[in-house]
Amino acid sequence: MTETQLARLERAHASIRERAGAPAAIAIMLGSGLGQLADEVEDAVTIPYAEVEGFPVSTAPGHKGAFVIGTLHGCRVAMMQGRLHLYEGWAPRDIALAVYLLQRLGARTLIVTNAAGSLNPEYEPGDVMLIEDHMNFTGMNPLVGPNDEAIGIRFPDMSRAYHPDLLKVAADAAGKAGVALRRGIYAGVLGPSLETSAERRYYRASGSDAVGMSTVTEVIAAAHANLPVIGLSAITNKATGGPEQQPDTIEEVFANAEIAGRKIEAILGRLLPALKGA
Ligand code: HPA
């Protein structure tokens, strides 16, 4: 019989619990090009994914993946450096496992970051968007299959997946950090090919403001586990799909992720202490 998600979670947790140390109340997932934020963590304990029992391990060359647990802006944090993307071939349930594990490590809030293209023509590369809601266009869901009631209910509510109270805390933090924040809807797609221009116009018509290849799977798992979420997108390229559309390059994505990443770092400087006090 295949191992249940709960059994897998308990095995994974047991294998790192001692090394992970004191509970980390804030979990942060670092998106593509945002990995440098892990360097800011003080007194960091780094646990490569390969050392977590039962955790999916990449066979891709150059894959860097680790939990980085320590202190950031005076708060205990557990970061995931190196995200698991569906397009790499991870099963949606593998990605959910990571979220549940962060919760077991003490997380009471999950901050997800990602790189995204802008469907909204007003956005510029280098901007940061606070995710107000999402649309799951991946065609996948991490909760498909038997449900572990000990983790969450069969049909979790998603009507306030990005809770209004936390949106306010995040917006206030950005304001105090002097970062002009966009607010919008994130369209999650499977990738790894980028969208056609027609697809981008379609996603825009659906009401989305940014498009990316992550986040929705984690946020569904977090809703399942009743773990509140804040989402921040680094806008890395224009993805409007109109006549002005330019070809996308990974160089552009990484360069703009770095610019937006500095803004996200500034937001975290205000956000983490605010969450601690909340
Ligand atoms: N589309 C999908 N994912 C992305 C993009 C994009 O334009 N930019 C960064 N991640």
Side-chain angles (χ1 to χ4, degrees):
M1 210 184 89
T2 49
E3 192 177 23
T4 65
Q5 186 79 313
L6 181 64
R8 238 180 126 194
L9 171 63
E10 285 175 350
R11 194 156 61 88
H13 185 213
S15 72
I16 61 166
R17 155 191 274 148
E18 273 174 33
R19 275 166 78 191
I26 300 170
I28 306 174
M29 288 203 176
L30 301 177
S32 303
L34 299 167
Q36 79 269 11
L37 289 178
D39 300 337
E40 313 281 325
V41 177
E42 297 154 35
D43 304 320
V45 172
T46 300
I47 306 175
Y49 299 155
E51 293 173 19
V52 184
E53 256 189 56
F55 207 72
V57 173
S58 173
T59 49
H63 176 90
K64 189 174 168 193
F67 291 97
V68 180
I69 303 165
T71 304
L72 186 63
H73 305 296
C75 301
R76 284 281 294 167
V77 299
M79 281 193 181
M80 278 184 77
Q81 187 182 33
R83 216 214 201 89
L84 311 176
H85 295 93
L86 292 171
Y87 65 73
E88 292 167 281
W90 301 115
R93 288 171 80 80
D94 292 339
I95 297 177
L97 181 73
V99 173
Y100 305 145
L101 187 54
L102 289 167
Q103 189 179 38
R104 288 291 167 111
L105 294 176
R108 294 293 165 260
T109 310
L110 171 64
I111 301 173
V112 287
T113 67
N114 59 50
S118 60
L119 303 164
N120 186 328
E122 290 183 8
Y123 293 5
E124 292 298 329
D127 283 353
V128 177
M129 183 187 89
L130 176 63
I131 303 177
E132 290 192 321
D133 209 341
H134 80 217
M135 296 200 207
N136 178 10
F137 288 110
T138 67
M140 295 187 179
N141 191 300
L143 309 184
V144 169
N147 185 54
D148 282 299
E149 289 287 329
I151 299 176
I153 59 175
R154 173 77 288 191
F155 301 109
D157 176 53
M158 292 291 292
S159 66
R160 291 194 293 180
Y162 303 82
H163 198 280
D165 293 350
L166 283 182
L167 290 174
K168 186 170 182 329
V169 175
D172 288 350
K176 285 190 184 131
V179 175
L181 205 55
R182 307 289 192 171
R183 296 177 68 135
I185 295 173
Y186 177 90
V189 297
L190 183 59
S193 55
L194 288 143
E195 309 72 42
T196 65
S197 289
E199 286 165 345
R200 286 172 166 173
R201 294 194 303 273
Y202 170 78
Y203 294 136
R204 178 63 183 151
S206 78
S208 300
D209 296 285
V211 57
M213 302 174 191
S214 67
T215 302
V216 294
T217 308
E218 291 95 327
V219 171
I220 292 168
H224 184 226
N226 229 345
L227 176 62
V229 167
I230 293 173
L232 294 168
S233 289
I235 302 299
T236 55
N237 55 295
K238 288 214 164 236
T240 47
E244 71 290 352
Q245 179 68 54
Q246 299 296 312
D248 303 297
T249 67
I250 195 71
E251 291 77 18
E252 181 195 15
V253 167
F254 282 133
N256 289 314
E258 203 179 318
I259 294 169
R262 282 196 284 271
K263 296 180 187 173
I264 290 176
E265 165 62 7
I267 295 170
L268 291 179
R270 299 294 186 146
L271 181 56
L272 300 189
L275 288 173
K276 195 179 181 186

